[in-house]
Amino acid sequence: MKRMHIHIAVDDLDANIQFYSALFNAAPAVLKPDYAKWMLDDPRINFAISMRNAPAGLNHLGIQVENEGELTEMHTRLQAIEQQTAAQVKPELGAACCYAKSDKYWVTDPQGVPWETYHTLEAIPVFGASAAEPAAQGECCVPITMIGKATKPADAKPGCC
């Protein structure tokens, strides 16, 4: 079963933990000094926030799968998108990010929003890479080649869905 993933960069972790804990009526499942994650069943979502030198706001969206077979299925979908559009799929197998080691495939949608499809393999004790070799700024969460592609048109008007 797949789970929607949303990751938001925040300026004030404590204020956001308080807000989202009230919104979801649940405490974070993972809580670190720079990161919090809720694994919700209703709605079925992996919602994460972090303070990692990224601009505040939406960091990326994704689909978390539960096994290698589902990840293979998602990779096949992304390859079809790649063949039909200008999108490029970026694999990250064994990626260390967000206190987890995962196999991932990244793609950017037509608006410039990075999407990841991934299968978590195990928890790790640091945000990215290892304690001995931390990830370079921008390497975790969104691959550096995908950072800054999302833009808001100058003539965009506020409104609803």
Side-chain angles (χ1 to χ4, degrees):
M1 180 179 287
K2 296 169 185 69
R3 182 183 300 264
M4 184 68 186
H5 171 63
I6 298 171
H7 189 126
I8 296 177
V10 299
D11 289 329
D12 183 335
L13 191 70
D14 292 334
N16 280 277
I17 289 171
Q18 182 179 1
F19 174 85
Y20 289 113
S21 292
L23 180 67
F24 300 141
N25 195 32
V30 176
L31 184 58
K32 304 288 183 179
D34 58 352
Y35 177 85
K37 176 173 71 174
W38 290 259
M39 296 293 286
L40 304 170
D41 289 324
D42 185 17
R44 188 161 168 78
I45 190 169
N46 167 343
F47 183 85
I49 59 175
S50 64
M51 293 179 53
R52 302 295 300 182
N53 298 324
L58 179 65
N59 185 268
H60 65 276
L61 299 172
I63 298 173
Q64 179 181 2
V65 300
E66 293 187 12
N67 58 56
E68 189 176 333
E70 288 181 341
L71 185 60
T72 299
E73 174 191 339
M74 291 304 302
H75 185 217
T76 300
R77 288 187 202 178
L78 295 179
Q79 288 174 315
I81 291 170
E82 188 174 40
Q83 291 174 357
Q84 298 168 8
T85 69
Q88 292 186 339
V89 177
K90 180 181 182 347
E92 283 191 323
L93 304 179
C97 187
C98 297
Y99 298 96
K101 182 178 177 183
S102 304
D103 287 340
K104 304 179 179 197
Y105 295 97
W106 289 90
V107 69
T108 302
D109 76 10
Q111 292 69 239
V113 177
W115 278 81
E116 70 175 327
T117 60
Y118 68 101
H119 173 230
T120 300
L121 305 170
E122 64 181 311
I124 58 174
V126 293
F127 190 81
S130 68
E133 297 180 35
Q137 183 175 347
E139 284 185 19
C140 181
C141 286
V142 181
I144 202 156
T145 56
M146 297 180 160
I147 292 174
K149 292 192 175 187
T151 59
K152 183 177 178 181
D155 62 347
K157 295 181 176 64
C160 185
C161 325

